[in-house]
Each structure stands twice: as C-alpha cells, then as structure tokens.
Amino acid sequence: MPRNKNCTACDLRKTCQYICLWGDGNHKAKVMVIGEAPGKDEDGCGKPFVGKAGRLLSSLLEDVGIKRDDVYITNSVKCRPPQNRTPTRKELLACRKYILEEIRTVRPRLIICVGGSAIKAVMNDYRLSVAKARTSKFKIFDAVVRTTFHPASVFRVPYNYKLMQEDLARYFGKSKPEVHELHRQVEMIKFSDLENQLKLFAKRGDVVIDIETNGLEPFKKD
Ligand code: SF4
C-alpha cells in the first residue's frame, strides 16, 4: 500500500501540511524504528525524524553500531497532530492500517517502538506504556517488538538518554554501548521542576550546575 495522500480516516489531515507522511530508509531493513507522529520539521519537509529528536536517535543508533541508513524509520501516526500533542486512541487506531502495511512490506526482524504511542499502536493495546513495555518482548508478523523512550523525551528528562542507550544495547545484543557522551544544549529548567531535575541529575554521578541570575536583588519579585 503506498502513501495515501487523500486519506480522510481522521481529522489530523485537516491541520497538517503533509498528509500521510510515510516512513523513510532502507526498504529491506532488518530493523524498523517506529515513533509517535511527525513533528513540525517533519511535516514541513515530508520526512520522518529529521529534527532534533531524529538527530539524537541517529546518535543513539550509532552508539550500538547501527547506521541510520540501514534502518527503516517511520511513525505510528502519519499526520502531525496540532501543537505536537499526543495522538488520541481514535487517531492511533485510524492510522494503524498504515503502520501494519509498512511492517508487512519491509518485513523487519526487529522493531523498536520509541515512545508509548508507538507500542500501543503496533500491538493494538492501549494499556501499554513505555515503563511496562520496556521489560517485555512482543511479536508481530515475523518481527520481535521492543520498546524504549522517545528521543524527544530526553530534552525533558536527560536521564532517559542513558536508559535508551542501555535498552538499545540490550536489544542489539551488545554488553555495553559505545557511549558518546550527550553534548546537550543548554536548557532552561523551570523553577517548579527544579527538585525533580536535581533528583535525576543525582543519579548521573558528577554534575556541574551553573546558575544564572536575572538581577542583583535576589528577593525582588519580577
Ligand atoms: Fe489518515 Fe493517518 Fe492522516 Fe489520520 S493521521 S488522516 S488516519 S493518514
């Protein structure tokens, strides 16, 4: 089944630019990576995983010795949800026929679902979450299905990078990933999220924190 640019199976077609954004990569790949849905960059150019999260995914795959060119990469929902919101159950279900078709065509041996939406859609089980599915192995057609976090989650929770490295190393049978340290861009952390972030940092070992002020009067309210 080719990409259906006239699909009317759900309302996401009304708000996206690129209807039914198909997967990309090696059509005979042994490995397929399935994400959630196109983001702004993807919707703009009609290719999956080309933005910041896509680059991070490529680097994570390299860490376990997998070249992006050897992988087929796609999304479980083919049109961009407005403001990148999580696709609803109805949308995942409406689009499921396309992801099944891509799996049938590519016939991968290993499918890596990145994020909760992907594993829910692929296995048609809406009770699954990343936390539950990370420790389980599923099967669909001839492929083993494994799950890890979505690379975009690393920008909110940096510790997920390490967990993703460990998951991918396990799924590709490596004892240890060739760790390239994550060269993260500087990110703002909201004050309300500070305690949570400090707990995550504490698990990573040595951490240097540079705190910036926005004035010389610490008790003055903005
Ligand atoms: Fe069709 Fe999927 Fe796009 Fe909905 S998201 S309109 S089901 S291609």
Side-chain angles (χ1 to χ4, degrees):
M1 182 194 285
R3 166 185 169 235
N4 179 7
K5 60 180 186 191
N6 299 314
C7 183
T8 54
C10 85
D11 283 347
L12 291 181
R13 76 186 187 285
K14 294 180 184 166
T15 47
C16 72
Q17 286 188 53
Y18 196 99
I19 297 174
C20 198
L21 195 155
W22 216 238
D24 182 54
N26 184 343
H27 284 241
K28 293 205 168 119
K30 298 269 174 282
V31 179
M32 183 185 262
V33 175
I34 304 178
E36 183 175 280
K40 191 171 175 232
D41 295 332
E42 288 80 14
D43 193 31
C45 74
K47 252 183 151 192
F49 281 94
V50 292
K52 206 161 67 146
R55 290 193 291 278
L56 191 60
L57 177 67
S58 301
S59 137
L60 279 156
L61 289 170
E62 268 174 36
D63 287 349
V64 287
I66 305 290
K67 287 196 207 117
R68 181 160 165 152
D69 288 350
D70 294 335
V71 176
Y72 184 88
I73 301 186
T74 190
N75 281 304
S76 44
V77 163
K78 309 292 184 200
C79 299
R80 182 188 178 210
Q83 280 80 49
N84 292 349
R85 66 159 170 75
T86 305
T88 63
R89 180 176 174 162
K90 206 171 146 195
E91 289 156 358
L92 288 174
L93 198 56
C95 221
R96 188 167 184 264
K97 60 184 178 227
Y98 297 124
I99 194 67
L100 293 184
E101 188 54 35
E102 284 183 297
I103 298 171
R104 275 197 212 98
T105 305
V106 177
R107 302 179 64 182
R109 305 307 306 268
L110 174 65
I111 294 174
I112 313 250
C113 289
V114 294
S117 296
I119 187 65
K120 284 180 173 75
V122 170
M123 298 316 300
N124 200 19
D125 183 345
Y126 298 87
R127 293 163 306 173
L128 287 174
S129 61
V130 175
K132 265 192 202 169
R134 274 180 80 219
T135 52
S136 306
K137 201 189 265 192
F138 302 90
K139 238 181 148 205
I140 189 160
F141 306 130
D142 291 332
V144 170
V145 182
R146 306 303 305 254
T147 310
T148 189
F149 296 93
H150 194 286
S153 74
V154 171
F155 303 117
R156 295 188 305 277
V157 184
Y159 188 63
N160 282 359
Y161 189 82
K162 185 171 180 292
L163 298 179
M164 288 183 78
Q165 281 181 319
E166 288 170 2
D167 287 346
L168 293 178
R170 205 166 63 248
Y171 302 158
F172 286 100
K174 311 264 173 185
S175 53
K176 236 169 100 207
E178 281 171 38
V179 178
H180 300 143
E181 268 307 311
L182 173 61
H183 299 297
R184 281 200 316 114
Q185 294 164 359
V186 174
E187 283 176 32
M188 299 285 282
I189 296 171
K190 283 189 197 149
F191 191 71
S192 55
D193 197 31
L194 185 60
E195 197 180 335
N196 193 22
Q197 291 291 333
L198 287 175
K199 277 185 199 153
L200 290 168
F201 287 160
K203 290 185 192 166
R204 303 183 75 196
D206 297 336
V207 172
V208 176
I209 298 177
D210 179 17
I211 301 170
E212 298 293 338
T213 63
N214 60 358
L216 297 175
E217 295 179 64
F219 300 107
K220 186 181 163 203
K221 291 202 170 151
D222 289 329

